[in-house]
């Protein structure tokens, strides 16, 4: 709560609706591609979020149907991104993956070995910061660290990191 209790939070990124009749490719083309792709190529962070009640299809939308060879949003975006000439032909572009789960009002770092609970904090200027648990160092100081991240160079590496995170 605190001083930001009455802040008006808005999100201009929620501009499209997924219809029940849409498959994953249609959802990707309509929702993810037009909003996330331009951000990635400008060097901005991109967050893909599925929200809904249990059984609503979040997991299948994000991860796809592997047994039926139907890719989800992660697979479709990874292939799109790494097939783009700006990434394929560049040595200067770095793709960094972080993977978290929001479950029962707690955030977990799925790339950490222990799937540790993380902490969400708001900076003075209103930026939301996700951090790993603080640690007491050898010098007896408490330090906050960012959540785990992995650098990837291909769609297959990215999907492998995600597979490890949900294992």
């Amino acid at each position: 709560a605190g001083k930001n209790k009455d802040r008006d939070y808005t999100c201009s990124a929620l501009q499209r609706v997924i219809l029940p009749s849409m498959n994953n490719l249609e959802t990707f083309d309509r929702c993810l591609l037009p909003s996330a792709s331009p951000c990635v190529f400008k060097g901005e962070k991109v967050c893909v979020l599925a929200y809904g009640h249990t059984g609503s299809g979040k997991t299948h939308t994000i991860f796809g149907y592997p047994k039926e060879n139907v890719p989800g949003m992660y697979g479709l975006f990874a292939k799109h991104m790494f097939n783009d000439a700006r990434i394929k032909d560049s040595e200067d572009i770095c793709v960094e993956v972080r993977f978290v789960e929001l479950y029962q009002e707690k955030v977990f770092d799925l790339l950490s070995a222990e799937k540790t609970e993380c902490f969400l904090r708001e900076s003075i200027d209103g930026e939301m910061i996700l951090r790993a648990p603080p640690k007491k160092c050898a010098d007896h100081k408490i330090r906050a660290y960012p959540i785990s991240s992995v650098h990837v160079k291909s769609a297959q590496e990215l999907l492998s990191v995600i597979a490890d995170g949900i294992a």
Side-chain angles (χ1 to χ4, degrees):
K3 67 179 181 172
N4 295 322
K5 185 173 96 176
D6 298 322
R7 175 183 271 173
D8 179 28
Y9 289 98
T10 59
C11 181
S12 61
L14 302 176
Q15 300 170 351
R16 293 162 187 88
V17 175
I18 300 172
L19 303 174
S21 61
M22 294 171 68
N23 64 30
N24 278 0
L25 185 56
E26 292 169 313
T27 300
F28 174 76
D29 287 342
R30 182 175 185 175
C31 298
L32 191 59
L33 191 58
S35 55
S37 186
C39 296
V40 165
F41 294 112
K42 287 192 277 181
E44 298 174 1
K45 296 176 185 175
V46 173
C47 174
V48 178
L49 172 74
Y51 181 81
H53 60 80
T54 301
S56 63
K58 299 176 299 293
T59 301
H60 294 300
T61 300
I62 294 294
F63 298 113
Y65 302 84
K67 291 180 183 174
E68 299 169 26
N69 203 24
V70 176
M73 299 301 107
Y74 288 166
L76 290 166
F77 193 74
K79 287 176 187 166
H80 167 78
M81 183 174 58
F82 284 102
N83 283 334
D84 189 288
R86 289 171 282 189
I87 286 186
K88 268 189 359 191
D89 300 335
S90 175
E91 295 292 322
D92 299 330
I93 293 177
C94 172
V95 177
E96 182 178 31
V97 179
R98 294 180 180 156
F99 191 31
V100 298
E101 174 184 39
L102 176 61
Y103 183 71
Q104 295 185 346
E105 299 184 20
K106 294 181 181 179
V107 181
F108 297 92
D109 180 353
L110 296 182
L111 298 183
S112 69
E114 305 83 25
K115 312 277 193 252
T116 54
E117 183 178 352
C118 302
F119 301 93
L120 189 59
R121 301 286 184 253
E122 184 176 3
S123 70
I124 293 172
D125 52 345
E127 181 183 0
M128 299 308 290
I129 300 169
L130 192 57
R131 294 278 183 230
K135 294 183 180 177
K136 189 172 185 178
C137 298
D139 62 3
H140 302 290
K141 292 182 180 179
I142 304 286
R143 291 202 170 70
Y145 293 95
I147 63 171
S148 304
S149 65
V150 177
H151 291 93
V152 296
K153 295 188 181 290
S154 70
Q156 191 55 44
E157 278 186 40
L158 191 152
L159 296 174
S160 177
V161 166
I162 290 171
D164 290 346
I166 59 175

